[in-house]
Amino acid sequence: MQNQNMSDIIEAYLKQVLGVHEQIEIRRSEMANQFNCVPSQINYVINTRFTVQQGYLVESKRGGGGYIRIIKVKLLDKVEMLDAMIQIIGEKISQKDAYSIIQKLYEDEVITKREATLMLSALEKNVLASSEKNENSLRAKILIAFVDNLRYE
């Protein structure tokens, strides 16, 4: 635990709770007090480690009775999950977001470690080197082709 930073600790705690419950509702200030950190640290963890690409929906309500609700998404079957991923990818995707999608496919055992490694290497910045606009569009097209092809045996 000593080698983990605060974000890792908060993430591990939330994922542990989500392992037992399908959703968690938290108050940012209470979580900050619990982990002896600033509330923006809680925001950072939620915004970077609980994204749609990683299989989570986040809802929030501001104000005195405000909360942040994190829901672990359960897709009905492989095809539905792949369709959802294609929608998320859209026309452009950053290398970081592409990596998150591939990691999710690997974690859900849709692809093997070797397939994930091959996909990641094909989507690297230095492989797609061109203007950033073209790079993200090209990355999206390639990733959609990979994901779409996973529908078939």
Side-chain angles (χ1 to χ4, degrees):
M1 189 96 98
Q2 63 195 21
N3 292 334
Q4 290 184 313
N5 65 36
M6 183 57 67
S7 295
D8 293 336
I9 294 168
I10 295 166
E11 175 189 15
Y13 169 78
L14 292 171
K15 285 186 175 178
Q16 180 182 16
V17 173
L18 286 165
V20 176
H21 306 287
E22 290 183 24
Q23 70 179 17
I24 182 174
E25 203 168 283
I26 61 169
R27 288 197 165 67
R28 197 173 65 128
S29 59
E30 290 174 10
M31 284 286 295
N33 287 337
Q34 179 178 346
F35 289 98
N36 197 26
C37 66
V38 294
S40 62
Q41 182 80 37
I42 306 300
N43 280 354
Y44 170 79
V45 171
I46 291 169
N47 291 335
T48 60
R49 302 184 185 199
F50 293 89
T51 65
V52 172
Q53 293 92 335
Q54 295 163 329
Y56 299 94
L57 288 177
V58 177
E59 301 171 351
S60 63
K61 179 183 175 223
R62 295 184 178 259
Y67 61 83
I68 298 171
R69 180 180 297 140
I70 305 170
I71 305 165
K72 183 143 178 79
V73 177
K74 290 189 179 183
L75 296 171
L76 298 177
D77 61 15
K78 184 171 122 175
V79 173
E80 186 177 330
M81 179 180 77
L82 297 173
D83 287 342
M85 293 223 170
I86 289 170
Q87 291 298 316
I88 291 166
I89 295 166
E91 293 182 16
K92 296 179 185 178
I93 191 163
S94 68
Q95 183 173 342
K96 178 182 171 233
D97 288 344
Y99 279 26
S100 293
I101 287 175
I102 293 168
Q103 181 177 357
K104 179 71 175 149
L105 289 168
Y106 173 70
E107 288 172 358
D108 288 352
E109 299 179 354
V110 174
I111 59 174
T112 65
K113 184 176 182 177
R114 177 143 174 81
E115 290 168 331
T117 302
L118 291 170
M119 290 170 76
L120 291 172
S121 66
L123 298 173
E124 285 183 7
K125 186 175 194 73
N126 62 350
V127 172
L128 304 176
S130 67
S131 73
E132 187 173 323
K133 178 184 173 191
N134 292 336
E135 174 191 329
N136 290 343
S137 296
L138 183 56
R139 183 179 293 110
K141 288 177 184 176
I142 293 169
L143 187 54
I144 286 172
F146 281 146
V147 173
D148 196 35
N149 198 289
L150 291 172
R151 298 171 192 248
Y152 311 105
E153 294 294 325

